[in-house]
Amino acid sequence: MIKGLIEDFKTLYKYEGEVKVFFSPGRVNLIGEHTDYNGGFVFPCALDFGTYAVAVKRNDNIFRMYSKNFENLGIIEFSLDRLINEPQDDWANYPKGVIKTFLEAGFDINSGFDVLFYGNIPNGAGLSSSASIELATSVILKDLFNLDVDMVSMVKLSQKAENKFIGVNCGIMDQFAIGMGKKDNAILLDCNTLNYQYAPVVLNGASIVIANTNKKRGLADSKYNERRGSCEAAVKVLNENGIDIKYLGELSVERFNEIKHLITDEEQLKRATHAVTENERTKVAVEKLNAGDIEAFGQLMNQSHISLRDDYEVTGFELDSLVEAAWEAEGVIGARMTGAGFGGCTVSIVKDEFIESFKKSVGEKYTAKTGLVADFYVAKIGDGSRKLGDF
C-alpha cells in the first residue's frame, strides 16, 4: 500500500526525488468515556489502522495538501503567512491548525511542504481521524524541520490546535492515545496530571471488535460542549459550597455521594454522577484486566454504556440498538459505545470463535431496528504516531 501512496504522491505533485512516509493510528477507548475533560482516568489504545502521510519539504512558504479520502476537494493550498481556519479548506484546517500552534510555541518552521494523506479510519466513526491527522502533522513537522520536541509536547500542541483553532473543546485523551500508543497495550491515563501507565491487554482467546453505526455526526456541533458545560457548572456549585476541587475526577464515589445533594439542578447532577462513577469504573476495570479477570472487565464496560445512556445521555437510538444487539450475542464479554457518542462506534470484547456469528447476528438485528448497515472491524492494538522511513 505504501508503494501505491508514494506513486500517487509523485504523480499528483509531479515529483521525482526521495519522499518521507509517516503513520499515525486511530484509537479506541476501552473504558472511561467523557472523563478526560473532567480530570479523570481514561483507558484507550492505539489501533493498527490510521492515517498514512507522504511528505516532501518545499523551498517556499506554500503548503499543498491532498487527501485520498476527500479526492473531490483536490489539492488544498495555503501559505505560511496565512494560517486561518477557512471553511473551504475543510479537513486541511486540522493540519493547518497544528502548524500554526507549533509556530506560536516558538518552533522554527521556515517553509512549506507537499503532503498526501490517506486514512483507513472510517470518517466520522469516532475513532479519532481528526486527532490522527493532527499527530501525523506533528511528526511530519518534527522530522522535516528537525524540531527538538518530545511526543507528550506534540500531543499537547495537537490538542491545543483542536481546542483553539478548530474550536472543539476536546480533552487530551485522543491525541495522547494516538501519540503514545504501544503495541498490545492500552494506556491508563490520568487526564488531570498526565501520569500514565501501560497495561498489557491480554484477552485470552478474545478480540476487540469495533462496530460503526454509520450514523453521521459532527463533533464540533454535537452536544459535546453542552455536556462539558454541565460538568463545569456542577464543579462551580460544589466550589461555592466549600468543596475545593477543580475537576469532578478528583472525587471518589463515596465522597460524591456525601455531597451530591448540593447539586440541585437535575441535569447537572446526572452529568456529574456519570463523570464520577465512570472514573471509578475505569480504575477498577484496569485492576481486573491486570488480574486476568476479563469477565469482570466486560461487566464494567456494560455498566459504562448504561451510565452513558441514562446519566450522560450521549448514546442515542443507533448506539443503543447496536450495543443491545451485542449484549444478546453469544460469546460477548462486554460491549459499550466508545467516543463522543451520538453515533460513531461501539467496542465489544468477543470470544474469537464467535466473531463471525457476532457480526452476522448483531448486524442483522441492527439493520432490522434502524435501517442502517453497521461495519465491523476486528482491531489489533498498535504503536503510536511515527515516521516509517525515507523512500
Side-chain angles (χ1 to χ4, degrees):
M1 181 176 68
I2 288 169
K3 194 164 169 263
L5 293 176
I6 293 169
E7 281 167 15
D8 289 345
F9 177 93
K10 290 185 170 182
T11 304
L12 182 73
Y13 293 118
K14 302 179 176 52
Y15 179 81
E16 278 311 312
E18 187 180 75
V19 300
K20 294 168 183 282
V21 181
F22 304 86
F23 175 75
S24 189
R27 69 96 189 93
V28 70
N29 191 24
L30 298 176
I31 193 165
E33 214 66 74
H34 288 280
T35 47
D36 58 344
Y37 53 82
N38 284 309
F41 284 88
V42 291
F43 192 56
C45 57
L47 299 169
D48 62 348
F49 50 85
T51 307
Y52 293 84
V54 183
V56 169
K57 193 173 175 182
R58 294 173 60 90
N59 297 321
D60 56 16
N61 65 355
I62 299 296
F63 294 90
R64 292 191 297 178
M65 302 200 163
Y66 180 84
S67 169
K68 283 178 66 74
N69 301 81
F70 300 99
E71 290 182 334
N72 57 312
L73 297 174
I75 295 172
I76 296 170
E77 191 174 303
F78 53 89
S79 73
L80 194 56
D81 43 26
R82 188 178 162 81
L83 298 172
I84 298 163
N85 186 335
E86 310 215 40
Q88 71 269 22
D89 286 350
D90 199 84
W91 64 269
N93 283 310
Y94 288 93
K96 192 195 294 184
V98 172
I99 296 161
K100 184 171 192 208
T101 308
F102 269 69
L103 276 170
E104 286 171 348
F107 289 104
D108 184 22
I109 298 162
N110 51 18
S111 75
F113 57 78
D114 289 342
V115 62
L116 175 143
F117 288 107
Y118 167 68
N120 53 7
I121 307 174
N123 290 317
L127 301 177
S128 268
S129 49
S130 59
S132 182
I133 203 169
E134 287 158 7
L135 265 304
T137 307
S138 296
V139 292
I140 290 169
L141 291 171
K142 178 183 168 93
D143 187 77
L144 293 186
F145 300 98
N146 297 316
L147 304 180
D148 180 18
V149 59
D150 63 23
M151 185 54 84
V152 173
S153 301
M154 293 197 283
V155 161
K156 290 178 181 173
L157 289 166
S158 296
Q159 182 207 7
K160 190 176 178 188
E162 187 143 346
N163 291 167
K164 300 281 188 283
F165 193 83
I166 303 295
V168 177
N169 215 359
C170 66
I172 200 161
M173 171 182 70
D174 295 353
Q175 290 82 4
F176 200 96
I178 286 166
M180 298 291 288
K182 183 178 170 185
K183 190 173 172 9
D184 299 330
N185 283 257
I187 307 169
L188 180 65
L189 171 66
D190 181 340
C191 297
N192 196 359
T193 62
L194 292 196
N195 291 336
Y196 66 96
Q197 62 188 71
Y198 290 107
V201 178
V202 182
L203 297 179
N204 301 329
S207 294
I208 297 166
V209 181
I210 297 167
N212 186 359
T213 61
N214 283 315
K215 175 183 189 276
K216 290 289 168 240
R217 58 165 185 80
L219 186 55
D221 50 18
S222 73
K223 298 190 167 84
Y224 181 91
N225 291 343
E226 213 175 274
R227 295 295 182 279
R228 186 168 184 157
S230 290
C231 291
E232 286 165 358
V235 168
K236 191 163 178 274
V237 168
L238 293 174
N239 290 164
E240 286 162 358
N241 284 279
I243 313 297
D244 183 23
I245 56 163
K246 194 176 171 191
Y247 298 110
L248 291 166
E250 295 166 48
L251 297 170
S252 67
V253 171
E254 196 178 10
R255 178 67 177 136
F256 179 70
N257 286 334
E258 290 168 2
I259 59 175
K260 66 181 184 186
H261 64 276
L262 299 169
I263 305 169
T264 52
D265 180 283
E266 194 184 337
E267 187 174 288
Q268 288 172 20
L269 179 60
K270 285 171 80 172
R271 307 300 183 243
T273 298
H274 168 75
V276 174
T277 57
E278 181 77 351
N279 196 36
E280 188 87 2
R281 267 190 293 277
T282 304
K283 291 187 278 189
V284 174
V286 178
E287 287 168 14
K288 298 295 183 193
L289 186 66
N290 286 337
D293 191 346
I294 299 298
E295 299 294 334
F297 185 86
Q299 287 303 311
L300 289 158
M301 288 175 73
N302 298 346
Q303 289 168 24
S304 168
H305 184 84
I306 291 164
S307 179
L308 287 156
R309 180 189 71 194
D310 299 347
D311 286 331
Y312 224 62
E313 298 180 274
V314 290
T315 57
F317 179 63
E318 293 81 6
L319 280 168
D320 287 338
S321 299
L322 202 47
V323 168
E324 284 157 18
W327 286 342
E328 291 165 5
E330 203 176 357
V332 172
I333 294 165
R336 57 184 286 278
M337 66 152 266
T338 184
F342 308 109
C345 288
T346 65
V347 58
S348 304
I349 296 177
V350 185
K351 290 177 182 167
D352 290 339
E353 64 267 33
F354 294 106
I355 287 174
E356 289 313 309
S357 64
F358 170 85
K359 290 194 234 180
K360 188 172 185 296
S361 73
V362 173
E364 284 171 0
K365 281 183 184 173
Y366 178 67
T367 301
K369 210 163 169 184
T370 65
L372 295 169
V373 177
D375 291 319
F376 296 90
Y377 308 87
V378 180
K380 298 274 182 282
I381 300 178
D383 286 316
S385 306
R386 60 202 183 271
K387 182 181 180 180
L388 296 181
D390 299 314
F391 293 87

